[in-house]
Amino acid sequence: SQQGEEDPQALSIQEGENATMNCSYKTSINNLQWYRQNSGRGLVHLILIRSNEREKHSGRLRVTLDTSKKSSSLLITASRAADTASYFCATVMIYNQGGKLIFGQGTELSVKP
Amino acid sequence: GAGVSQSPSNKVTEKGKDVELRCDPISGHTALYWYRQSLGQGLEFLIYFQGNSAPDKSGLPSDRFSAERTGGSVSTLTIQRTQQEDSAVYLCASSSYLAGTHGYTFGSGTRLTVV
């Protein structure tokens, strides 16, 4: 079963606009990670936020984490056509011994030039 | 190598045949994971190897699925008596850090089609 659920499932914006994707999860976590996937193949790690962190930045990416609401958001500012991809959140559960990532269903982002 | 390498990149097989999928992790990475992704879906955890510890096989969907990791490096995922529902992209990932504390590096996957 999937731990995370993402919203929206699909998002279409114009180049230069900001894109916000949300992720909700069910159980307490050690950390939450965001990945990007192009063309249904390999995933690329974007950013990791730990359970004791509330916000993290990396370039045009901003991630927030609200453990009380069990939710996270990924903001991509000043989007580009090259940002078109699927974005997944993934969680590592707090009592998980293996550190396996549990993925959400993903948000498909389309940035139109 | 520089990245996680998976082979073959594409595999078409007949229903009932066995297939082997290979993953070469980044050299020195102690943790290795297999995931499966069906069309338009998220990633489903299959199995996890960490060093010399017993693998976490909790995600394998049936006893037709098995995996091994030889010498703490290369891993092979074997699917016996393939079924059409096994059609998916199989992704391998590796990590050098304590499991789950840093991001994983993924391979490009093997697209398996069972006809």
Side-chain angles (χ1 to χ4, degrees):
Chain A
S1 63
Q2 300 296 335
Q3 154 84 317
E5 293 187 4
E6 295 182 61
D7 166 55
Q9 290 187 328
L11 180 61
S12 181
I13 59 174
Q14 293 294 130
E15 209 166 27
E17 294 180 339
N18 295 341
T20 300
M21 289 161 269
N22 303 297
C23 170
S24 61
Y25 55 91
K26 299 173 184 174
T27 62
S28 296
I29 61 170
N30 179 284
N31 66 72
L32 185 145
Q33 304 179 26
W34 285 89
Y35 286 79
R36 167 195 168 124
Q37 184 180 40
N38 287 84
S39 305
R41 298 305 285 255
L43 280 75
V44 174
H45 178 253
L46 296 176
I47 197 165
L48 179 153
I49 187 165
R50 302 185 194 285
S51 60
N52 61 352
E53 297 176 310
R54 291 297 167 258
E55 187 171 315
K56 206 161 184 180
H57 297 255
S58 177
R60 293 184 296 112
L61 305 180
R62 173 179 168 246
V63 170
T64 61
L65 179 65
D66 187 335
T67 53
S68 67
K69 295 181 180 178
K70 292 187 169 57
S71 67
S72 173
S73 67
L74 171 68
L75 169 67
I76 304 175
T77 60
S79 63
R80 305 166 182 168
D83 294 330
T84 295
S86 293
Y87 292 82
F88 293 88
C89 70
T91 55
V92 178
M93 289 182 280
I94 197 165
Y95 295 115
N96 184 279
Q97 296 180 358
K100 60 177 181 258
L101 286 179
I102 306 298
F103 283 84
Q105 297 296 314
T107 292
E108 193 172 327
L109 174 65
S110 174
V111 182
K112 299 182 179 179
Chain B
V4 177
S5 177
Q6 291 189 245
S7 61
S9 56
N10 290 283
K11 175 72 176 178
V12 180
T13 190
E14 292 181 352
K15 179 181 173 182
K17 295 282 179 76
D18 298 352
V19 294
E20 284 190 352
L21 312 180
R22 176 186 169 104
C23 173
D24 279 277
I26 292 174
S27 179
H29 279 194
T30 57
L32 186 148
Y33 302 77
W34 284 97
Y35 287 84
R36 176 170 74 172
Q37 185 178 29
S38 300
L39 187 64
Q41 300 296 309
L43 276 72
E44 175 188 6
F45 167 77
L46 296 178
I47 188 169
Y48 157 63
F49 297 89
Q50 170 65 348
N52 295 322
S53 302
D56 176 353
K57 304 179 182 180
S58 61
L60 294 178
S62 77
D63 58 9
R64 296 187 295 106
F65 288 73
S66 63
E68 61 178 21
R69 188 178 185 190
T70 53
S73 181
V74 172
S75 177
T76 302
L77 177 68
T78 301
I79 308 173
Q80 297 179 309
R81 304 180 303 282
T82 52
Q83 303 294 312
Q84 288 186 328
E85 61 262 29
D86 299 334
S87 296
V89 176
Y90 290 80
L91 292 158
C92 174
S94 71
S95 173
S96 64
Y97 299 97
L98 283 175
T101 59
H102 290 72
Y104 300 177
T105 301
F106 277 82
S108 297
T110 293
R111 184 179 300 278
L112 175 67
T113 304
V114 182
V115 297

